[in-house]
Amino acid sequence: MSDASAPPTSALSVLMVASEAQPYAKTGGLADVTGALAAALARLGHAVTMVMPRYRVVDAAGRGGRRLPLTMGGRAFEVGLVEVPHGPRERVVLVECDELYDREGLYGAGGQDHPDNAVRFGVLSRAALEYAVGLESPPSIVHAHDWQTGLVPVLLRTRYSADPVWRRIPSLFTIHNLAYQGVFPAETLSALDLGSELLSIDGLEFWNQVSFLKGGINFADTLTTVSPAYAREIRTPEYGEGLEGLLVHRQQVLTGILNGIDTDTWNPWTDPYLPAPFSAADLGGKRFAKRAVLTRYGLPDDATAMARPLIGMVSRLVGQKGLDLVWEGRGALAAMDAAFVVLGSGERRYEEMWRDLAAAHPTRIGVRVGFDEGLAHLIEGGADLFLMPSRFEPCGLNQMYSMRYGTVPVVRATGGLDDTVRPFDPDTGAGTGFTFHEYRSSAMLVALEAALALYARPARWRALQQAGMRQDFSWDASAAAYVHEYRKVIDRRREADGERGE
Ligand code: ADP
Ligand code: GLC
């Protein structure tokens, strides 16, 4: 880590725009990543401004910052920009606009998307750029994440393209999940003040509709996604969600950078949510976490229950996460000599599936539907195994949290899961978890059975836990990889601008 008081002479200034970031608002891994990446870049000596909405859940001091008059699609919005400093080189700018953000749910409520999401995230993208235009010096690079900020690269190359300063500033767009695309009716363009010429194949058009994600992919100067394996997968029809052709077309500028994890927040030695600390050298405290989880779920914690393997799952309960494999294999799963603790929310059918399983096996299956950060930490600490049978997984953070907490992951070898979990080799004892390839419940069950068989051999099991705990998943390497991409694209953009006759 570099000395916090001495920024490098070539320090960059990064304008990040995201729809969620820790510690303010989170529905999934995106928030962990944007929050931790911003902090890691600042530690490397770069200046980072993160612009995000002030949702109702955002707990931060100060309201009513600088007013920003913003008109979009003939509608005037009351927008405020509240700057929250985070250390010497990082700040978060909360975009206040109560009519758009002060409501339940970041993206929707009661299982329905908010109907005005195009406008909500259009305003976020516009506000972020207007904020930066008002600063004394412009950023070196603009970094946007996922469909909600897909319009940021589009606006840079349309609305701001005539500005001699702004047309030099490159944008990087990170795809965290290709399955969420922000697709809206074609008429939305005018509500966003975007020209109808953008309704074209090399613009935002996607099956006669407007796709924010496609806009980001088409207009950004460079693209990243969150693991090398996912960067390859999304160029195939199986994973490309209809955008594989475009991604092949743009493959020269598409890089996979594996997410890191926040090793301070996710540290079993200091985690305030755990009843006792533990580490690779001293795993003793893990038993207390196991007992605490069993108790929290109202499951027995006698000697038999403590000896039985405990399988954890913390997940959005959606198709991506492989829940139909669980559904198909539910009989065999419930028949295993193992207990399950599940935390998640999402599609009603999956919530009901787990509730029914828990009702049928009240001493071995515990389920909590909801979002609970503390319980997520406790499960990572207390479970013996962690199950992630994802259909696709751009990166996935929980398998890395699991390894750090001595909780052995059982995962489908896809995307970031494939890049981070090394399969256990029974001959050499090497590896950090159990993997399966085919998207079939039988394959998942074979991997789980192999894991349970090893669990019965404590010395070998401990070696596997410790191998996982000793992996380095910290942000240092990933943040440096982003800086490398930033510099590459800054140079490229400068050259291109020069060639246009400056
Ligand atoms: P995704 O972003 O696709 O949901 P990731 O594995 O990247 O998957 O990140 C999920 C993050 O959200 C992790 O930090 C995980 O602990 C957290 N999480 C998911 N569901 C819940 C929940 N119900 N309660 C608490 N944390 C959750
Ligand atoms: C997405 C992906 C997940 C990834 C996260 C952070 O939500 O589903 O795999 O870890 O973004 O990049």
Side-chain angles (χ1 to χ4, degrees):
M1 205 183 297
S2 64
D3 175 2
S5 61
T9 44
S10 55
L12 301 173
S13 120
V14 184
L15 176 72
M16 282 229 195
V17 196
S19 59
E20 50 183 273
Q22 283 288 60
Y24 296 112
K26 163 169 171 176
T27 67
L30 173 62
D32 292 16
V33 169
T34 50
L37 172 60
L41 290 167
R43 279 200 305 273
L44 291 176
H46 306 287
V48 186
T49 299
M50 164 80 71
V51 186
M52 63 176 286
R54 182 178 202 131
Y55 302 107
R56 183 175 294 172
V57 291
V58 172
D59 182 12
R63 281 194 75 85
R66 183 174 123 201
R67 302 321 292 173
L68 179 76
L70 199 151
T71 309
M72 208 174 76
R75 237 174 110 184
F77 293 93
E78 272 297 305
V79 173
L81 300 165
V82 180
E83 290 186 4
V84 189
H86 278 227
R89 279 190 286 279
E90 194 192 341
R91 70 183 152 204
V92 173
V93 175
L94 300 168
V95 179
E96 275 181 3
C97 183
D98 287 352
E99 65 176 303
L100 298 180
Y101 309 129
D102 182 20
R103 54 174 93 159
E104 194 195 327
L106 269 54
Y107 309 124
Q112 296 289 317
D113 285 347
H114 293 312
D116 55 349
N117 274 344
V119 171
R120 295 173 76 230
F121 294 108
V123 166
L124 170 67
S125 304
R126 276 276 297 282
L129 292 172
E130 288 299 321
Y131 165 80
V133 166
L135 294 176
E136 241 166 61
S137 49
S140 336
I141 174 126
V142 179
H143 185 168
H145 300 263
D146 270 357
W147 77 262
Q148 292 88 347
T149 58
L151 291 190
V152 170
V154 176
L155 289 167
L156 264 180
R157 294 295 158 254
T158 53
R159 198 178 174 90
Y160 298 90
S161 64
D163 183 301
V165 173
W166 279 83
R167 76 158 191 238
R168 280 172 175 262
I169 299 174
S171 61
L172 183 152
F173 184 62
T174 299
I175 301 165
H176 295 261
N177 196 330
L178 203 63
Y180 300 97
Q181 304 191 344
V183 174
F184 303 98
E187 308 80 76
T188 312
L189 276 182
S190 59
L192 298 167
D193 281 349
L194 295 173
S196 55
E197 72 284 357
L198 290 174
L199 199 66
S200 64
I201 185 126
D202 50 1
L204 278 68
E205 189 269 340
F206 192 64
W207 299 103
N208 286 324
Q209 293 195 294
V210 168
S211 161
F212 278 40
L213 188 77
K214 186 172 174 187
I217 295 174
N218 259 331
F219 284 82
D221 295 282
T222 200
L223 305 170
T224 64
T225 185
V226 288
S227 70
Y230 194 59
R232 290 190 298 274
E233 288 171 347
I234 56 178
R235 288 178 275 146
T236 67
E238 195 185 344
Y239 293 94
E241 308 280 351
L243 290 169
E244 60 275 10
L246 174 60
L247 290 161
V248 167
H249 174 67
R250 300 230 65 203
Q251 62 187 346
Q252 295 304 332
V253 295
L254 170 65
T255 315
I257 300 178
L258 196 66
N259 288 332
I261 61 170
D262 182 331
T263 49
D264 294 329
T265 309
W266 293 92
N267 180 351
W269 192 246
T270 55
D271 192 330
Y273 296 113
L274 299 185
F278 61 87
S279 67
D282 177 5
L283 272 162
K286 197 165 163 66
R287 283 184 70 74
F288 295 98
K290 181 167 183 175
R291 192 179 298 281
V293 185
L294 291 172
T295 312
R296 277 285 283 278
Y297 276 88
L299 300 175
D301 66 346
D302 53 66
T304 315
M306 284 295 286
R308 190 186 280 140
L310 179 63
I311 303 174
M313 261 186 118
V314 178
S315 176
R316 292 184 294 116
L317 299 178
V318 297
Q320 171 191 345
K321 302 295 177 180
L323 287 148
D324 41 351
L325 298 194
V326 174
W327 168 255
E328 253 176 70
R330 66 194 183 285
L333 285 174
M336 284 176 169
D337 187 20
F340 289 83
V341 282
V342 179
L343 169 64
S345 64
E347 289 177 32
R348 190 149 306 153
R349 61 189 166 135
Y350 296 131
E351 296 179 354
E352 272 166 16
M353 168 185 82
W354 277 116
R355 282 194 175 121
D356 291 350
L357 281 169
H361 306 276
T363 59
R364 285 191 302 105
I365 302 185
V367 173
R368 285 279 178 287
V369 170
F371 197 91
D372 185 334
E373 189 81 27
L375 187 55
H377 282 246
L378 191 60
I379 292 172
E380 289 292 8
D384 300 298
L385 299 102
F386 197 92
L387 180 61
M388 283 181 88
S390 303
R391 187 164 69 76
F392 65 94
E393 196 61 76
C395 180
L397 301 173
N398 280 308
Q399 79 280 13
M400 293 192 266
Y401 300 153
S402 297
M403 285 185 263
R404 193 153 160 78
Y405 280 61
T407 301
V408 173
V410 179
V411 306
R412 178 158 176 265
T414 180
L417 296 173
D418 198 18
D419 283 334
T420 52
V421 179
R422 279 190 285 114
F424 172 70
D425 179 341
D427 295 330
T428 63
T432 53
F434 292 84
T435 63
F436 62 98
H437 289 266
E438 251 187 306
Y439 189 67
R440 295 172 76 100
S441 132
S442 54
M444 172 184 79
L445 293 169
V446 168
L448 264 175
E449 290 292 359
L452 295 184
L454 197 76
Y455 177 81
R457 305 178 63 181
R460 299 198 80 186
W461 186 257
R462 197 169 323 108
L464 186 61
Q465 289 178 295
Q466 288 169 331
M469 294 179 91
R470 295 201 169 109
Q471 303 290 301
D472 179 5
F473 293 120
S474 67
W475 263 103
D476 299 349
S478 311
Y482 277 102
V483 172
H484 179 74
E485 288 305 314
Y486 293 158
R487 293 201 191 283
K488 240 173 43 190
V489 71
I490 289 168
D491 289 347
R492 226 180 48 222
R493 181 100 210 143
R494 204 172 285 148
E495 278 164 26
D497 201 49
E499 276 162 23
R500 276 199 299 269
E502 275 261 311

